[in-house]
Amino acid sequence: DVKVTQSSRYLVKRTGEKVFLECVQDMDHENMFWYRQDPGLGLRLIYFSYDVKMKEKGDIPEGYSVSREKKERFSLILESASTNQTSMYLCASSRPWIGQPQHFGDGTRLSIL
Amino acid sequence: AQTVTQSQPEMSVQEAETVTLSCTYDTSENNYYLFWYKQPPSRQMILVIRQEAYKQQNATENRFSVNFQKAAKSFSLKISDSQLGDTAMYFCAFMKPPNAGNNRKLIWGLGTSLAVNP
């Protein structure tokens, strides 16, 4: 089975801090994704990556950046955390071929105080 | 732009009964993929079922089946013999072939919260 591991299940940070959310997958997937999930807004794509060092903006990239130095690891960075970034963050990975499903981690519930 | 609509924010069903969750989408594409995902409370999002648009046969996975109506752009999920463990948020998602590059984004509905009652 595909295993997508997010480094923290719960995280509390302060406004203005630089925050790193880590995601590792063990199935050699080319594609990796970061979403945020908010009640009533569903899943919104922040960034995705289709190869090492390659990234593309999703629908809501403002205030975030990403890093993919190794194929198995995709990091989401909040450069200067703000309270409106309090949310559930989901990482996913998939094969590159058309129609392949995404596999998700358990999520990180991030609170910015 | 493609959109996915789940018109039922919340639903409930009695254990052992059948329930159908609706999903409609809007696209001008002919070849695409549709997915249903399940997210139990405080647990991981998992794939329930996948449908390829060029296949007329409805996908089935054990107690889960879909009613795919391509002309109507409808992709409903039927859960038979509902179990307490089916209590979850259910998301419908759409994937189109990329125009260029390795683009495998999903377009998501807002979800339906299903409660299975004992």
Side-chain angles (χ1 to χ4, degrees):
Chain A
D1 280 351
V2 176
K3 183 72 172 176
V4 178
T5 303
Q6 295 186 229
S7 53
S8 303
R9 195 71 192 270
Y10 300 94
L11 202 56
V12 180
K13 296 291 183 181
R14 297 211 171 270
T15 304
E17 281 192 69
K18 190 169 186 176
V19 180
F20 293 85
L21 302 183
E22 306 287 346
C23 175
V24 176
Q25 49 94 4
D26 66 356
M27 283 300 291
D28 204 35
H29 283 174
E30 284 75 5
N31 297 334
M32 295 190 75
F33 307 82
W34 274 108
Y35 295 92
R36 65 176 284 176
Q37 182 178 18
D38 300 287
L41 297 179
L43 276 75
R44 293 180 290 168
L45 182 65
I46 304 171
Y47 268 96
F48 70 99
S49 169
Y50 50 89
D51 201 350
V52 175
K53 297 191 186 295
M54 305 303 288
K55 61 186 179 185
E56 284 196 22
K57 294 179 180 179
D59 301 317
I60 52 164
E62 296 78 19
Y64 303 94
S65 62
V66 290
S67 172
R68 192 162 181 204
E69 296 295 322
K70 293 185 178 181
K71 191 175 185 180
E72 67 270 19
R73 185 180 298 270
F74 192 35
S75 302
L76 180 69
I77 304 156
L78 285 67
E79 297 290 344
S80 177
S82 64
T83 54
N84 63 12
Q85 292 177 309
T86 291
S87 185
M88 170 69 85
Y89 289 87
L90 299 179
C91 175
S93 71
S94 74
R95 290 281 185 208
W97 310 302
I98 185 63
Q100 293 299 299
Q102 294 180 12
H103 302 268
F104 286 82
D106 287 338
T108 296
R109 186 164 294 281
L110 175 65
S111 296
I112 307 295
L113 304 179
Chain B
Q2 286 82 9
T3 58
V4 175
T5 302
Q6 294 179 247
S7 59
Q8 306 146 316
E10 296 181 353
M11 293 188 72
S12 63
V13 64
Q14 292 300 120
E15 198 174 5
E17 292 186 350
T18 295
V19 63
T20 298
L21 281 58
S22 69
C23 173
T24 58
Y25 55 94
D26 185 24
T27 184
S28 58
E29 302 283 343
N30 191 46
N31 292 326
Y32 48 86
Y33 294 78
L34 294 160
F35 303 84
W36 277 101
Y37 280 86
K38 168 185 176 181
Q39 187 181 37
S42 301
R43 291 182 62 189
Q44 189 181 41
M45 179 94 74
I46 58 173
L47 176 70
V48 176
I49 205 162
R50 170 180 172 271
Q51 175 79 43
E52 301 170 33
Y54 60 85
K55 287 187 178 179
Q56 293 197 343
Q57 186 173 6
N58 289 325
T60 299
E61 286 289 341
N62 300 315
R63 296 182 295 107
F64 298 87
S65 61
V66 298
N67 183 7
F68 174 49
Q69 301 288 329
K70 191 173 184 179
K73 297 179 184 176
S74 172
F75 183 59
S76 59
L77 176 69
K78 186 173 83 170
I79 306 174
S80 304
D81 186 25
S82 298
Q83 300 176 0
L84 296 178
D86 295 333
T87 292
M89 183 73 80
Y90 287 82
F91 292 94
C92 178
F94 168 93
M95 177 191 288
K96 70 175 179 72
N99 293 323
N102 189 358
N103 182 339
R104 298 291 184 260
K105 293 193 293 185
L106 287 170
I107 299 165
W108 296 85
L110 295 184
T112 295
S113 178
L114 176 67
V116 180
N117 301 314

